[in-house]
Amino acid sequence: MLYPIMHAVGSTVYFMLFLLFLCARLVPRTNPGITCWAFAALAACCARMAMLLLPTETDAASGLLWYGVFIALEKLLLLLGAFRFFGAVLLPGGPMVTDRWLYTAVVLLLGWIAAYGTLLLPRVAYDIGLAAFNALALLLLASTVYRSRIRLPLWLRRAFVSVVLLLALHWSLIVPLYIWLLPDWRQQGFAFGTVLAMLQYLLLLTAVIMLFCRRLTESEAKALELAYQDPLTGLSNKRYVDVLFGQALQLANRPHQALAVFYIDLDKFKPINDSAGHKTGDIVLQEVARRLKASLRSTDICARIGGDEFVVIATQIEQEQYVQEIAAKLLKQLQQPVEIDGQSYELGASIGVSLHPRHGQELAELLEKADSAMYQVKQQGRNGYRLYTGEERRR
C-alpha cells in the first residue's frame, strides 16, 4: 500500500514543481537552465505515474522499464539545466564535461534498459545499471553546484550539495543494502529517496527565487542611482541633493557646527562649448566634477544642478574662516587650465556661499541666497567668491 501512496503523492508534487519552474521561466531574461529543470520535474512525475499506472509485478514489467527511461531523462535534463545555470564543471584531470557526454551516458543506460527488457536479464542487472547511472549523475550535479561561481548563500549551497550527496549515497546503496541485505526496508528506502529528490528540487527553486530577488534589488538600486545621479559627471543631481540635505542637517545640528552651501557657476565655459564643441565641453564638465570631488571631504555633498552650475554642501563647519578656506580651495582648483588633446582651456568660477542656520533653514532658501551672492561675484568681475550678506540685489 505504501508504493501507490508514494507514487501518487510524488507525481503530484513533481507536477507542481514543473508548474513552478515554468512560472519562473516566464520572468524576462531568465536563465534557460530553469526550463530544463521544469521538464526534469515533469520527467520525474512521469516516472512515478508509470510505476502507479503500468504493471510492475514482474521483473520486465512495462512500469519498471518506463520508470528507468523517465529517470534517465530526468537526470539528463537536471544536469543540462545545472550546466546552463551554474556553468559546466571540470573533471579532476582537466577536461570539461559537455552535453555530449551526458547524451552518451543516457543512450548507454537506455540501451542497458532495452537489453534488460528484451533479453530477460536478472533484475539485479537493471538495478545496478540504474543505480550506478543515478549515483554518478548526482555526484556530477553536486560538483557542478559546489564549484559554481554564482553568488549563492553559503547555507543554500551547502544544503543543496549535502542533499544531493545523500541522494547519490542512497542510489549507491540500493543494491547492496535495500535488495541484498535489508529487502524488508526497500519500501522505506524508496520513500527516503523520494523525499531527498523532492528536497533537491525545492532547493533549486529556492536558488532561482533568491537570484531573482538579488537581480530585482540590484535593478532597483541601479534605477535609483540613475534617478539621483547626473549621467555626464557622475555627481548627484538636484533631486538627490534634496534627499541628502536632511542627512547633512543632522551633522549641522551638532553644537557649534554649521552647514555651508556653495553655489558654483563656471566662468568662460560657454565660449569653450561654442568654439570647441559639445564633446569638449562635456570633458571639461567631467574634469570639473573630478576636481570638486577631490577637493571635498567624504561628509560633503557635491552635485551638478544645471549646465555649468554646481552645488557643494559642506558639513561640520566649526568656524566661518573654514568657509573662506573651502571657497578659496575650490576656486583654485577650478582656475587650473584643462588640457584636452593638446589644447589648454582656461576656466574660472564665481562662487556664492550661504550658511545654515544664519541665512535660512530650508535648502531652497539657502540655494537662493547663495545664488544671489554668486551673482554679485559675476557683477564684480567674475572669478571669485562671496558670502551672502543680505545686501545682494536680486537678478
Side-chain angles (χ1 to χ4, degrees), residues 53-247:
L53 302 177
L54 298 177
T56 57
E57 291 79 10
T58 63
D59 287 348
S62 59
L64 191 65
L65 298 179
W66 278 109
Y67 173 82
V69 170
F70 283 120
I71 286 297
L73 182 59
E74 178 215 6
K75 294 302 183 292
L76 170 65
L77 291 168
L78 196 62
L79 284 169
L80 288 176
F83 288 177
R84 283 150 180 75
F85 194 87
F86 296 106
V89 67
L90 291 172
L91 293 179
M96 179 178 292
V97 179
T98 63
D99 294 356
R100 183 178 297 179
W101 289 33
L102 302 181
Y103 294 134
T104 301
V106 170
V107 169
L108 291 175
L109 177 62
L110 294 178
W112 184 261
I113 294 174
Y116 165 76
T118 55
L119 301 178
L120 301 179
L121 299 176
R123 170 65 185 273
V124 69
Y126 169 87
D127 292 330
I128 289 176
L130 189 62
F133 172 82
N134 278 277
L136 291 175
L138 290 166
L139 288 174
L140 182 57
L141 177 62
S143 178
T144 301
V145 177
Y146 180 77
R147 298 184 182 185
S148 171
R149 295 183 179 181
I150 288 184
R151 291 181 299 158
L152 288 176
L154 184 59
W155 69 265
L156 180 59
R157 190 186 299 269
R158 288 179 175 176
F160 182 81
V161 171
S162 299
V163 168
V164 174
L165 289 178
L166 281 175
L167 193 54
L169 180 63
H170 160 75
W171 277 103
S172 301
L173 295 177
I174 281 180
V175 173
L177 183 63
Y178 297 127
I179 296 178
W180 290 344
L181 299 178
L182 299 171
D184 294 338
W185 281 81
R186 185 165 183 168
Q187 289 187 353
Q188 289 82 349
F190 196 95
F192 178 67
T194 300
V195 171
L196 288 177
M198 291 179 181
L199 187 56
Q200 163 194 263
Y201 279 101
L202 288 174
L203 289 172
L204 282 176
L205 190 60
T206 302
V208 171
I209 293 173
M210 295 194 75
L211 289 179
F212 280 168
C213 292
R214 177 177 297 161
R215 196 175 84 183
L216 181 62
T217 302
E218 291 175 351
S219 298
E220 183 180 11
K222 184 65 176 178
L224 287 174
E225 180 181 341
L226 293 175
Y228 289 142
Q229 189 179 73
D230 175 54
L232 176 63
T233 63
L235 298 178
S236 301
N237 58 20
K238 177 63 168 59
R239 182 185 303 174
Y240 200 27
V241 171
D242 294 334
V243 176
L244 293 176
F245 184 69
Q247 301 176 14

Side-chain angles (χ1 to χ4, degrees), residues 18-27 30 212:
F18 164 69
L19 295 179
L20 289 173
F21 278 113
L22 278 188
C23 290
R25 187 65 183 89
L26 296 177
V27 177
T30 300
F212 280 168

Side-chain angles (χ1 to χ4, degrees), residues 267-373:
D267 297 329
K268 304 178 184 178
F269 174 74
K270 190 175 185 303
I272 296 174
N273 204 40
D274 292 340
S275 61
H278 294 294
K279 182 178 180 181
T280 299
D282 289 346
I283 297 175
V284 170
L285 292 175
Q286 291 169 347
E287 174 63 17
V288 167
R290 187 195 66 79
R291 294 181 183 182
L292 290 176
K293 287 191 290 187
S295 303
L296 300 174
R297 301 162 298 173
S298 60
T299 56
D300 298 333
I301 300 168
C302 185
R304 180 186 177 210
I305 62 171
D308 60 349
E309 296 180 332
F310 298 82
V311 165
V312 168
I313 301 177
T315 61
Q316 299 175 317
I317 303 295
E318 296 182 354
Q319 297 181 18
E320 190 171 311
Q321 71 181 51
Y322 294 158
V323 176
Q324 307 287 337
E325 293 173 1
I326 294 172
K329 182 179 180 181
L330 295 175
L331 182 61
K332 182 179 179 180
Q333 286 291 323
L334 298 178
Q335 287 173 334
Q336 301 298 318
V338 178
E339 302 288 338
I340 302 176
D341 296 332
Q343 295 291 324
S344 180
Y345 298 96
E346 298 290 337
L347 274 178
S350 299
I351 304 175
V353 188
S354 61
L355 297 176
H356 173 281
R358 183 195 303 179
H359 300 138
Q361 297 289 336
E362 301 296 329
L363 176 61
E365 185 179 6
L366 293 170
L367 285 174
E368 180 183 2
K369 293 179 177 178
D371 182 37
S372 297

